């Protein structure tokens, strides 16, 4: 069965960086589009970044220029490098492919 396991969340100060990882299994990773989404308390889940099987990327407006999505098809893993973090980036971050979701990892940006 499809499994998506996120890791790398935590508490970071404003301006800091974090790298999230999503280990995938149960499907042919290399040909599937992968995405990162986030949901803050009281808000709707929103797109953070997408990467296609061919490596094309797209970003939500609020993270453009600060976040980078990448994938390692040999390791069946997708990454989200987050730089210049802001308090408004605080949310649970979820990995996604098709209709499948991971359990999420908490990112908190606070001084």
């Amino acid at each position: 069965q499809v499994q998506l396991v996120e890791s790398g969340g935590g508490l970071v100060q404003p301006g800091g960086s974090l790298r999230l990882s999503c280990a995938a299994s149960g499907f042919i990773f290399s040909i599937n589009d992968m995405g990162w989404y986030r949901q803050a308390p009281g808000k709707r889940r929103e797109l953070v970044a997408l990467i296609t099987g061919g490596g094309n990327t797209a970003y939500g407006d609020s993270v453009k220029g600060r976040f980078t999505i990448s994938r390692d098809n040999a390791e069946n893993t997708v990454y989200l490098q987050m730089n210049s973090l802001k308090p408004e980036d605080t949310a649970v971050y979820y990995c996604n492919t098709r209709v499948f979701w991971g359990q999420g990892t908490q990112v908190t940006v606070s001084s």
Side-chain angles (χ1 to χ4, degrees), residues 1 14 32 48-51 54-55 62-64 66 68 74 87 91 97 101-102 104:
Q1 69 278 22
N32 277 272
V48 176
L50 290 172
I51 185 165
S62 62
V63 306
K64 283 180 182 177
R66 300 188 297 123
T68 303
T97 187
W101 297 88

Side-chain angles (χ1 to χ4, degrees), residues 88-105:
E88 51 263 44
D89 295 317
T90 296
V92 178
Y93 284 70
Y94 297 93
C95 182
N96 164 267
T97 187
R98 292 179 282 159
V99 298
F100 303 100
W101 297 88
Q103 82 287 352
T105 186

Side-chain angles (χ1 to χ4, degrees), residues 8 13 17-18 22 24 30 32 35 54 60 71 78 89 94 97-98 104 111:
Q13 292 188 343
S17 298
L18 279 176
C22 172
S30 62
N32 277 272
R71 64 191 298 157
V78 61
D89 295 317
Y94 297 93
T97 187
R98 292 179 282 159
S111 55

Side-chain angles (χ1 to χ4, degrees), residues 13-76:
Q13 292 188 343
S17 298
L18 279 176
R19 188 194 196 202
L20 304 184
S21 300
C22 172
S25 61
F27 63 102
I28 304 174
F29 178 80
S30 62
I31 63 172
N32 277 272
D33 300 347
M34 300 295 299
W36 285 98
Y37 291 75
R38 67 186 182 187
Q39 188 166 20
K43 295 189 176 182
R44 299 176 65 178
R45 192 171 295 190
E46 64 173 355
L47 170 70
V48 176
L50 290 172
I51 185 165
T52 69
N56 294 316
T57 59
Y59 296 91
D61 288 341
S62 62
V63 306
K64 283 180 182 177
R66 300 188 297 123
F67 290 12
T68 303
I69 189 170
S70 62
R71 64 191 298 157
D72 184 338
N73 289 337
E75 296 293 330
N76 285 6

